[in-house]
């Protein structure tokens, strides 16, 4: 790091758990953020401010007026623009020294696998089970940590799925991909704006901790937020040996 970077990130460097080594790990990292909406906005903003050296943002949508109630990376003047370009403009204003890659596309298959393999950590900031499961499969295959968040109405949740040890659960252990889950869209159910900021910021915090190897992550735990009563609860998530994604399937004799 040069003198300018030492000053910019000095409040991180002052922390014994981070120091120069931890901050350098952030500068050397590549984080893939899938979804540039309610969760992706605050997550990417904190990642950029914290000095993650390379951020790839993926979203195939454009900014809509209804997004502005909660998607804080976007502005009224950018309605109609691709979300990834709007978000990158905001992130450049926060930290012009990091590398930003904007991909206006819907990831799947080989393309998703390629991007996940190049990442240090992946953040799932999407809003549907099909994409979440596709991202989870790619992360398990590539052994790349996944930070997952979700918010609807006044409820939020966040967890970490880290396949590097081979002993921790994946997203499919919690929500089996072979089961049918109904997607609840905020366009019909509504969403309390500050909660996406809370959960998105927590996703960024978990990603930073994973990169620097500090503290204890949410691996094996699902953190739940009742925003209406502002109460947190935590539940343990066990690895499913029969999971179709990360488990060992035992064939019948």
């Amino acid at each position: 790091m040069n003198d300018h970077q030492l000053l910019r990130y000095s409040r991180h460097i002052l922390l014994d758990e981070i120091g120069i080594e931890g901050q350098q790990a952030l500068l050397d990292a590549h984080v893939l953020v899938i979804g540039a909406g309610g969760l992706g906005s605050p997550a990417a903003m904190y990642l950029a401010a914290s000095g993650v050296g390379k951020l790839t943002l993926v979203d195939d949508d454009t900014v809509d007026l209804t997004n502005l109630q909660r998607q804080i990376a976007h502005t009224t003047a950018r309605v109609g623009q691709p979300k990834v370009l709007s978000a990158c403009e905001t992130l450049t204003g926060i930290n012009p020294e990091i590398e930003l890659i904007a991909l206006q596309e819907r990831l799947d298959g080989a393309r998703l696998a390629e991007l996940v393999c190049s990442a240090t950590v992946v953040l799932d900031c999407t809003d549907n089970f099909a994409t979440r499961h596709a991202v989870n499969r790619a992360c398990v295959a590539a052994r790349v940590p996944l930070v997952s968040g979700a918010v609807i109405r006044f409820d939020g949740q966040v967890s970490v799925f880290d396949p590097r040890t081979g002993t921790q659960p994946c997203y499919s252990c919690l929500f089996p991909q072979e089961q049918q889950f109904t997607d609840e869209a905020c366009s019909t159910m509504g969403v309390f704006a500050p909660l996406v900021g809370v959960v998105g910021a927590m996703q960024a915090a978990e990603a930073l901790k994973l990169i620097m190897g500090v503290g204890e992550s949410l691996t094996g735990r699902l953190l739940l937020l009742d925003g209406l009563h502002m109460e947190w609860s935590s539940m343990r998530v066990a690895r499913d040996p029969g999971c179709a994604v990360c488990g060992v399937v035992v064939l019948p004799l």
Side-chain angles (χ1 to χ4, degrees):
M1 282 181 284
N2 56 39
D3 290 344
H4 176 78
Q5 290 172 317
L6 289 171
L7 182 60
R8 175 184 279 270
Y9 305 118
S10 60
R11 300 308 188 266
H12 263 178
I13 295 170
L14 285 170
L15 296 171
D16 291 339
E17 295 84 352
I18 297 179
I20 291 178
E21 295 80 7
Q23 188 61 50
Q24 187 62 56
L26 295 182
L27 291 169
D28 294 339
H30 173 205
V31 177
L32 173 62
V33 180
I34 304 176
L39 296 171
S41 289
M45 290 166 74
Y46 272 111
L47 292 170
S50 296
V52 169
K54 181 178 179 180
L55 279 177
T56 297
L57 303 184
V58 184
D59 197 307
D60 67 343
D61 203 2
T62 57
V63 179
D64 185 81
L65 184 63
T66 61
N67 300 150
L68 302 182
Q69 164 253 11
R70 67 203 176 280
Q71 299 184 15
I72 59 174
H74 312 303
T75 67
T76 304
R78 298 180 206 153
V79 169
Q81 292 184 15
K83 284 186 179 180
V84 288
L85 296 182
S86 171
C88 282
E89 185 174 343
T90 296
L91 301 182
T92 299
I94 293 173
N95 191 348
E97 299 178 358
I98 64 173
E99 180 183 357
L100 294 170
I101 299 175
L103 300 177
Q104 188 185 13
E105 56 186 278
R106 184 178 291 272
L107 296 180
D108 203 354
R111 177 62 168 156
L112 174 59
E114 174 191 2
L115 288 173
V116 168
C117 283
S118 71
T120 311
V121 179
V122 175
L123 270 66
D124 182 350
C125 301
T126 63
D127 60 0
N128 66 88
F129 282 105
T131 303
R132 290 168 184 157
H133 281 297
V135 173
N136 176 66
R137 289 192 298 270
C139 286
V140 170
R143 298 174 68 87
V144 173
L146 169 64
V147 184
S148 175
V151 175
I152 193 70
R153 295 175 59 82
F154 287 93
D155 300 312
Q157 64 182 43
V158 60
S159 188
V160 171
F161 304 99
D162 191 346
R164 291 176 295 181
T165 66
T167 61
Q168 298 297 331
C170 75
Y171 184 81
S172 188
C173 293
L174 180 61
F175 299 104
Q177 64 175 8
E178 62 272 15
Q179 292 186 16
Q180 294 296 318
F181 294 96
T182 302
D183 289 317
E184 295 181 327
C186 60
S187 58
T188 55
M189 302 293 290
V191 60
F192 187 45
L195 288 194
V196 293
V198 172
V199 173
M202 292 187 69
Q203 287 183 266
E206 289 298 300
L208 296 175
K209 287 162 55 185
L210 286 166
I211 293 167
M212 295 184 291
V214 302
E216 180 180 347
S217 80
L218 283 172
T219 302
R221 286 185 294 152
L222 177 66
L223 200 58
L224 303 166
L225 172 60
D226 176 354
L228 200 57
H229 301 94
M230 206 49 70
E231 294 180 349
W232 291 95
S233 58
S234 178
M235 61 177 288
R236 290 285 174 182
V237 180
R239 184 168 182 260
D240 179 5
C243 175
V245 177
C246 73
V248 178
V249 178
V250 179
L251 297 177
L253 297 176

